[in-house]
Amino acid sequence: MKIVVLAGGTSTEREISIVSGTMVCKALRSKGHEAILADVFCGIGAEQVDEALFAAEDYDVDAAAAYMRSFDEHLETMIRERREFFGPHILELCQIADVVFLALHGANGEDGKVQAAFDLFGIPYTGTGYLSSAIAMDKSMTKQFFRAHQVPTPGGVTLSRTDEVRDPASLGLELPLVVKPCCGGSSVGVYIAHTMEEYDQALENAFAYEPQVIVEEYIQGREFSVGVVDGKAYPIIEIAPIEGFYDYVNKYKAGSTIETCPAELSGEQTRRMQEYAEAGAAALGIMNYCRLDFMMREDGRMYCLEANTLPGMTPTSLLPQEAKVLGMDYPELCEHLIELSMRKWKG
């Protein structure tokens, strides 16, 4: 198949997306596919776009990734000066491809905007559709859907920059609290506040990312993640950071966490968490694949935190580890995700 692996973009998760995209592209080429890596915002360096780009035997994935990173220091200027999101030749290139593998993470990639545009252009892509992408990206909306479908989630509220009432007691909450951007990803801008001073600083920091933030109860306990692929939960993985919590650094720095898959849970706990994961994905209308994050208290109570509609595919990412337990290696997983997603376009 001719496949464009679309990565990069303009979000705070740009670098993680490039790493994911590089690995996916190499994996697909190892399976015989004509896969090329492209930056959704910065475009590709080719003067002309045609099918010959896919067939090039000397295609260098690492060189393509280096080209993407060459824009990093100028990215903010490009964002300010450009009105159009899609980079040079990107739409043209994606229309030639059989499918686009979305290795995008965060805003303008995982939030449904690219998916909606591709639907209009008739471009097949991996993952779920635009509406479920948008709902899952918005943590406030996600909580509402979880509650409506009896998926347990931490109590909390959404605050805007203009809201005057921010005191936890007035919001029906008490310290410690988690403060995070409403539509962020990879734990960027997530803070745990144990004191009012920390809480005020966390709000200031989180509002620097977005105009809306989530303030929710802090769940002390063990952290887990569950992939849901084709409506069925994958083996549960437990994440135990060596220091701190599962923030941006601990997610992507090798050796910073202890990850156990399958997680050491009782049969009943495993069944219940997997059922919650499947119910959470269904509540948000997510098709094909996603990953849901959980916390579990010492007494066994479970809370679904959020859903990721385009899970990371880096060397330390969780979904590939879960698939490996099922006997599926990384290239096979990439192909499987494409096959699931193509059903929408073949049907």
Side-chain angles (χ1 to χ4, degrees):
M1 296 176 69
K2 296 189 296 295
I3 303 170
V4 173
V5 180
L6 207 55
T10 58
S11 82
T12 54
E13 299 172 79
R14 172 179 171 82
E15 175 57 27
I16 304 306
S17 173
I18 294 174
V19 176
S20 286
T22 301
M23 284 194 63
V24 169
C25 192
K26 288 180 177 180
L28 292 172
R29 291 185 69 84
S30 75
K31 299 291 284 186
H33 297 286
E34 296 178 335
I36 59 177
L37 180 65
D39 191 318
V40 65
F41 183 73
C42 301
I44 60 173
E47 294 290 333
Q48 182 176 338
V49 172
D50 55 33
E51 295 192 5
L53 282 174
F54 294 90
E57 294 183 3
D58 60 347
Y59 183 77
D60 188 335
V61 180
D62 289 323
Y67 177 80
M68 295 169 72
R69 291 188 175 98
S70 71
F71 292 94
D72 287 356
E73 60 182 297
H74 310 294
L75 195 65
E76 292 302 320
T77 301
M78 294 171 64
I79 293 171
R80 286 195 304 269
E81 295 178 351
R82 277 228 330 244
R83 298 182 65 181
E84 184 177 341
F85 176 72
F86 291 104
H89 303 302
I90 289 300
L91 287 175
E92 183 182 356
L93 181 69
C94 292
Q95 287 175 309
I96 297 173
D98 295 313
V99 65
V100 176
F101 193 109
L102 294 180
L104 299 166
H105 305 314
N108 296 326
E110 200 169 358
D111 56 8
K113 294 177 183 177
V114 169
Q115 291 84 346
F118 281 5
D119 282 343
L120 292 175
F121 282 103
I123 298 172
Y125 56 86
T126 57
T128 192
Y130 73 92
L131 184 56
S132 50
S133 296
I135 294 171
M137 192 68 184
D138 187 319
K139 295 179 179 65
S140 177
M141 291 293 294
T142 294
K143 280 184 170 295
Q144 294 180 50
F145 276 75
F146 282 170
R147 289 169 183 148
H149 290 82
Q150 290 75 54
V151 178
T153 190
V157 298
T158 304
L159 291 181
S160 299
R161 283 199 189 109
T162 55
D163 288 337
E164 296 181 3
V165 178
R166 297 184 178 184
D167 178 67
S170 301
L171 299 172
L173 300 169
E174 59 182 38
L175 295 167
L177 292 167
V178 176
V179 180
K180 56 189 176 183
C182 194
C183 297
S186 284
S187 297
V188 174
V190 176
Y191 305 93
I192 299 175
H194 295 85
T195 67
M196 281 303 299
E197 183 179 0
E198 290 178 350
Y199 174 72
D200 291 337
Q201 186 62 55
L203 283 178
E204 182 179 341
N205 294 345
F207 278 130
Y209 289 97
E210 293 178 19
Q212 285 192 316
V213 302
I214 298 290
V215 179
E216 67 181 15
E217 62 175 318
Y218 172 61
I219 306 298
Q220 177 72 45
R222 298 162 67 188
E223 186 161 0
F224 303 88
S225 190
V226 189
V228 176
V229 180
D230 199 19
K232 299 297 182 183
Y234 269 23
I236 300 169
I237 187 167
E238 180 171 5
I239 309 110
I242 295 174
E243 293 183 6
F245 69 101
Y246 197 47
D247 59 4
Y248 183 90
V249 173
N250 284 329
K251 282 180 187 287
Y252 301 112
K253 182 181 178 181
S256 61
T257 62
I258 299 171
E259 294 162 354
T260 307
C261 190
E264 295 179 357
L265 294 167
S266 70
E268 168 60 21
Q269 289 172 329
T270 297
R271 180 193 63 77
R272 189 150 44 96
M273 190 176 293
Q274 288 180 322
E275 286 182 352
Y276 283 146
E278 293 171 0
L284 301 176
I286 297 172
M287 299 171 57
N288 302 319
Y289 62 95
C290 64
R291 199 195 75 233
L292 294 95
D293 299 331
F294 286 83
M295 292 296 298
M296 186 177 78
R297 294 188 191 272
E298 188 175 345
D299 62 9
R301 284 181 292 167
M302 301 173 185
Y303 301 84
C304 190
L305 304 180
E306 61 182 76
N308 302 270
T309 55
L310 290 177
M313 297 290 282
T314 73
T316 58
S317 292
L318 305 179
L319 185 63
Q321 294 186 55
E322 296 176 34
K324 188 176 181 180
V325 172
L326 298 175
M328 189 181 303
D329 65 23
Y330 187 91
E332 289 172 334
L333 173 63
C334 293
E335 280 195 319
H336 183 53
L337 299 183
I338 289 174
E339 290 167 1
L340 289 175
S341 303
M342 287 296 287
R343 292 184 308 190
K344 169 183 175 180
W345 306 95
K346 291 178 179 177

